[in-house]
Short mmCIF file of all heavy atoms in Angstrom, two decimals:
data_model
loop_
_atom_site.label_atom_id
_atom_site.label_comp_id
_atom_site.label_asym_id
_atom_site.label_seq_id
_atom_site.Cartn_x
_atom_site.Cartn_y
_atom_site.Cartn_z
N LYS A 6 -34.10 42.49 12.94
CA LYS A 6 -34.56 41.16 13.38
C LYS A 6 -34.19 40.06 12.38
O LYS A 6 -33.88 38.95 12.78
CB LYS A 6 -36.04 41.15 13.72
CG LYS A 6 -36.97 41.62 12.68
CD LYS A 6 -38.38 41.69 13.26
CE LYS A 6 -39.35 42.23 12.24
NZ LYS A 6 -40.68 42.46 12.82
N GLN A 31 -10.46 10.97 9.74
CA GLN A 31 -9.26 11.16 8.94
C GLN A 31 -9.04 9.95 8.05
O GLN A 31 -9.57 8.88 8.30
CB GLN A 31 -8.08 11.36 9.87
CG GLN A 31 -8.10 12.76 10.44
CD GLN A 31 -7.22 12.92 11.64
OE1 GLN A 31 -6.62 11.96 12.10
NE2 GLN A 31 -7.16 14.11 12.14
N LYS A 67 -4.71 -2.81 12.19
CA LYS A 67 -3.58 -3.71 12.45
C LYS A 67 -2.36 -3.26 11.64
O LYS A 67 -1.24 -3.26 12.14
CB LYS A 67 -4.00 -5.15 12.10
CG LYS A 67 -3.06 -6.27 12.43
CD LYS A 67 -2.43 -6.22 13.79
CE LYS A 67 -3.29 -6.56 14.97
NZ LYS A 67 -2.56 -6.43 16.26
N GLU A 70 -0.99 -0.15 13.17
CA GLU A 70 -0.30 -0.49 14.41
C GLU A 70 1.13 -0.95 14.12
O GLU A 70 2.09 -0.49 14.75
CB GLU A 70 -1.07 -1.60 15.15
CG GLU A 70 -0.45 -1.98 16.47
CD GLU A 70 -1.16 -3.15 17.14
OE1 GLU A 70 -2.27 -3.52 16.73
OE2 GLU A 70 -0.57 -3.69 18.09
N VAL A 73 3.22 2.06 12.99
CA VAL A 73 3.56 2.95 14.11
C VAL A 73 4.63 2.30 14.99
O VAL A 73 5.53 2.97 15.50
CB VAL A 73 2.28 3.28 14.93
CG1 VAL A 73 2.63 3.88 16.28
CG2 VAL A 73 1.43 4.26 14.15
N LYS A 74 4.54 0.97 15.14
CA LYS A 74 5.51 0.27 15.99
C LYS A 74 6.82 -0.04 15.24
O LYS A 74 7.66 -0.76 15.77
CB LYS A 74 4.88 -1.02 16.53
CG LYS A 74 3.81 -0.76 17.58
CD LYS A 74 3.24 -2.04 18.14
CE LYS A 74 2.26 -1.77 19.27
NZ LYS A 74 1.58 -2.99 19.73
N SER A 118 -14.24 -8.31 17.67
CA SER A 118 -13.01 -8.06 18.41
C SER A 118 -12.76 -9.17 19.44
O SER A 118 -11.64 -9.67 19.56
CB SER A 118 -13.14 -6.69 19.07
OG SER A 118 -12.18 -6.51 20.04
N ASP A 122 -9.69 -12.03 19.50
CA ASP A 122 -8.75 -12.17 20.62
C ASP A 122 -8.74 -13.59 21.17
O ASP A 122 -7.67 -14.12 21.49
CB ASP A 122 -9.11 -11.18 21.74
CG ASP A 122 -8.75 -9.76 21.36
OD1 ASP A 122 -8.04 -9.58 20.37
OD2 ASP A 122 -9.20 -8.82 22.07
N GLU A 154 -12.84 -10.95 28.39
CA GLU A 154 -11.91 -10.27 29.30
C GLU A 154 -11.39 -11.24 30.36
O GLU A 154 -10.19 -11.27 30.65
CB GLU A 154 -12.59 -9.09 29.99
CG GLU A 154 -12.66 -7.87 29.10
CD GLU A 154 -13.46 -6.75 29.72
OE1 GLU A 154 -13.65 -6.73 30.94
OE2 GLU A 154 -13.91 -5.88 28.95
N ARG A 161 -3.47 -16.27 31.20
CA ARG A 161 -2.10 -15.92 31.60
C ARG A 161 -1.69 -16.66 32.87
O ARG A 161 -0.54 -16.64 33.24
CB ARG A 161 -1.99 -14.42 31.87
CG ARG A 161 -2.52 -13.56 30.77
CD ARG A 161 -1.44 -13.19 29.78
NE ARG A 161 -2.05 -12.64 28.58
CZ ARG A 161 -1.83 -13.10 27.37
NH1 ARG A 161 -1.03 -14.11 27.17
NH2 ARG A 161 -2.43 -12.54 26.32
N LYS B 55 -41.92 39.95 6.34
CA LYS B 55 -42.10 41.31 6.83
C LYS B 55 -43.49 41.49 7.45
O LYS B 55 -43.64 42.17 8.45
CB LYS B 55 -41.90 42.31 5.68
CG LYS B 55 -40.42 42.64 5.48
CD LYS B 55 -40.24 43.67 4.40
CE LYS B 55 -38.75 43.91 4.17
NZ LYS B 55 -38.50 44.70 2.99
N LEU B 58 -43.50 38.39 10.67
CA LEU B 58 -42.48 38.18 11.69
C LEU B 58 -42.57 39.25 12.78
O LEU B 58 -42.13 40.38 12.61
CB LEU B 58 -41.08 38.17 11.07
CG LEU B 58 -39.98 37.65 11.98
CD1 LEU B 58 -40.20 36.17 12.33
CD2 LEU B 58 -38.63 37.80 11.33
N TRP B 109 -4.11 4.59 15.45
CA TRP B 109 -2.72 4.32 15.83
C TRP B 109 -1.78 5.50 15.62
O TRP B 109 -0.58 5.35 15.64
CB TRP B 109 -2.20 3.04 15.15
CG TRP B 109 -2.83 1.86 15.81
CD1 TRP B 109 -3.98 1.25 15.43
CD2 TRP B 109 -2.40 1.21 17.01
NE1 TRP B 109 -4.31 0.25 16.33
CE2 TRP B 109 -3.34 0.20 17.30
CE3 TRP B 109 -1.33 1.36 17.88
CZ2 TRP B 109 -3.25 -0.64 18.41
CZ3 TRP B 109 -1.22 0.52 18.98
CH2 TRP B 109 -2.16 -0.46 19.23
N ARG B 110 -2.36 6.69 15.42
CA ARG B 110 -1.50 7.88 15.38
C ARG B 110 -1.17 8.25 16.83
O ARG B 110 -2.08 8.34 17.65
CB ARG B 110 -2.22 9.05 14.71
CG ARG B 110 -1.95 9.15 13.23
CD ARG B 110 -2.70 10.34 12.65
NE ARG B 110 -4.13 10.17 12.87
CZ ARG B 110 -4.94 9.56 12.02
NH1 ARG B 110 -4.47 9.08 10.91
NH2 ARG B 110 -6.22 9.44 12.29
N ARG B 134 -14.54 -2.05 21.82
CA ARG B 134 -13.30 -2.49 22.45
C ARG B 134 -12.15 -1.88 21.66
O ARG B 134 -12.21 -1.85 20.43
CB ARG B 134 -13.16 -4.02 22.39
CG ARG B 134 -14.03 -4.76 23.35
CD ARG B 134 -13.86 -6.24 23.15
NE ARG B 134 -12.84 -6.79 24.02
CZ ARG B 134 -11.82 -7.51 23.61
NH1 ARG B 134 -11.64 -7.74 22.34
NH2 ARG B 134 -10.97 -8.02 24.46
N LYS B 136 -7.75 -1.43 21.35
CA LYS B 136 -6.39 -1.84 21.75
C LYS B 136 -5.54 -0.57 21.76
O LYS B 136 -5.73 0.31 20.92
CB LYS B 136 -5.79 -2.81 20.73
CG LYS B 136 -6.74 -3.91 20.28
CD LYS B 136 -6.51 -5.18 21.03
CE LYS B 136 -7.64 -6.17 20.87
NZ LYS B 136 -7.83 -6.70 19.56
N TYR B 146 7.44 0.90 23.22
CA TYR B 146 5.99 0.68 23.27
C TYR B 146 5.67 -0.21 24.46
O TYR B 146 6.19 -1.33 24.55
CB TYR B 146 5.51 0.01 21.98
CG TYR B 146 5.86 0.85 20.79
CD1 TYR B 146 7.06 0.69 20.12
CD2 TYR B 146 5.00 1.86 20.39
CE1 TYR B 146 7.40 1.50 19.07
CE2 TYR B 146 5.34 2.68 19.33
CZ TYR B 146 6.54 2.49 18.67
OH TYR B 146 6.88 3.31 17.63
N ASP B 158 -0.03 -8.71 20.42
CA ASP B 158 -0.31 -7.81 19.30
C ASP B 158 0.00 -8.44 17.94
O ASP B 158 -0.26 -7.85 16.90
CB ASP B 158 0.44 -6.48 19.46
CG ASP B 158 1.95 -6.63 19.43
OD1 ASP B 158 2.44 -7.77 19.31
OD2 ASP B 158 2.64 -5.60 19.53
N ARG B 163 2.69 -6.76 23.36
CA ARG B 163 1.35 -6.84 23.94
C ARG B 163 0.63 -5.51 23.77
O ARG B 163 1.26 -4.46 23.81
CB ARG B 163 1.45 -7.14 25.46
CG ARG B 163 2.33 -8.29 25.86
CD ARG B 163 1.61 -9.61 25.70
NE ARG B 163 0.46 -9.71 26.59
CZ ARG B 163 0.54 -10.05 27.87
NH1 ARG B 163 1.71 -10.28 28.42
NH2 ARG B 163 -0.54 -10.17 28.59
N ASP B 164 -0.68 -5.60 23.61
CA ASP B 164 -1.53 -4.40 23.58
C ASP B 164 -2.44 -4.44 24.80
O ASP B 164 -2.84 -5.52 25.24
CB ASP B 164 -2.43 -4.41 22.34
CG ASP B 164 -1.68 -4.10 21.06
OD1 ASP B 164 -0.61 -3.47 21.15
OD2 ASP B 164 -2.18 -4.48 19.98
N SER B 168 -12.55 -1.57 27.13
CA SER B 168 -13.88 -1.69 26.52
C SER B 168 -14.79 -0.65 27.14
O SER B 168 -14.65 -0.31 28.32
CB SER B 168 -14.44 -3.10 26.67
OG SER B 168 -14.71 -3.35 28.01
#
Side-chain angles (χ1 to χ4, degrees):
Chain A
K6 55 187 177 187
Q31 284 164 356
K67 187 45 74 182
E70 182 184 347
V73 165
K74 288 182 175 174
S118 165
D122 287 348
E154 280 174 20
R161 309 268 166 235
Chain B
K55 276 183 183 170
L58 193 64
W109 287 91
R110 267 180 300 270
R134 285 177 93 233
K136 315 263 166 66
Y146 302 90
D158 64 358
R163 310 279 296 279
D164 286 337
S168 67

